[in-house]
Amino acid sequence: IDPKGVAHALVSQNSDEALPLASITKLMTALIASETYGLGAIEDKIHKLLIVSDNATADLLATKMGTPTFVARMNQKAVALGLPSMHFVNPSGIDAERDLDVASAHDVATLLKYLYTDRQALFSILGEKNYGTATSTDNLLFDPSPLTVLGGKTGETPRAGQNLVVLSQSPTGTG
């Protein structure tokens, strides 16, 4: 995202094809949980959800209101944000027997941009390397790179493979 708020994709291929999300699902889980319960009330759980990528925490947050209701809210939010390819069946992104959480790369990037521009407190957690004794699962936050990683999320399951969404700043700071 450049200083004027315009998003630019560095790499894109089949960006409108809906593919399995794996733990990238947790971006929407965190958004729904923070809007429902208040970020301040569940901040420790959100850190565990996004930094450690803890599946049990995703399930716990959803169970509090009932998992089917929580997942329905995730899908409703995707529609409200104009993310037509995004569809959820569980709050963690783990491989289900039949259906998987899916979205296009374009819609995932749009969600990340929304978090960056409209939910800055939540987005800032995605850029943290550590929280207490927990270390982020996102190695890009640690590896030397010509880009400054502002935040992102990784995911991996057998059916989804390896996934990554990241928001970064160029070396010149211009987007």
Side-chain angles (χ1 to χ4, degrees):
I1 298 176
D2 67 23
K4 295 179 183 175
V6 177
H8 303 278
L10 295 179
V11 179
S12 178
Q13 181 179 352
N14 303 325
S15 64
D16 291 322
E17 180 182 355
L19 296 169
L21 291 171
S23 286
I24 291 174
T25 292
K26 293 179 178 101
L27 295 174
M28 185 64 84
T29 303
L31 177 59
I32 297 305
S34 66
E35 288 181 351
T36 302
Y37 311 125
L39 182 58
I42 58 168
E43 191 168 355
D44 286 342
K45 288 178 178 57
I46 295 295
H47 277 85
K48 192 172 182 183
L49 179 73
L50 296 176
I51 294 174
V52 182
S53 201
D54 186 65
N55 293 328
T57 299
D59 292 338
L60 176 71
L61 290 167
T63 302
K64 188 172 181 177
M65 78 164 59
T67 300
T69 301
F70 190 92
V71 172
R73 286 195 183 173
M74 293 170 68
N75 287 313
Q76 291 164 359
K77 188 68 171 186
V79 170
L81 292 174
L83 309 172
S85 72
M86 196 168 273
H87 180 75
F88 301 99
V89 296
N90 69 63
S92 66
I94 60 171
D95 289 343
E97 285 186 33
R98 291 179 294 155
D99 296 329
L100 299 173
D101 296 339
V102 296
S104 68
H106 178 267
D107 285 354
V108 171
T110 301
L111 175 59
L112 190 64
K113 181 182 176 191
Y114 172 78
L115 295 175
Y116 178 73
T117 58
D118 291 60
R119 299 290 189 268
Q120 187 60 48
L122 183 57
F123 178 85
S124 68
I125 296 169
L126 297 169
E128 294 180 16
K129 295 178 183 178
N130 302 292
Y131 184 72
T133 59
T135 301
S136 174
T137 59
D138 188 347
N139 289 334
L140 288 176
L141 294 172
F142 299 94
D143 293 341
S145 168
L147 300 173
T148 301
V149 175
L150 301 175
K153 185 77 186 89
T154 59
E156 181 177 7
T157 67
R159 290 176 64 192
Q162 295 179 329
N163 297 333
L164 167 70
V165 61
V166 66
L167 184 71
S168 64
Q169 185 177 39
S170 73
T172 62
T174 60

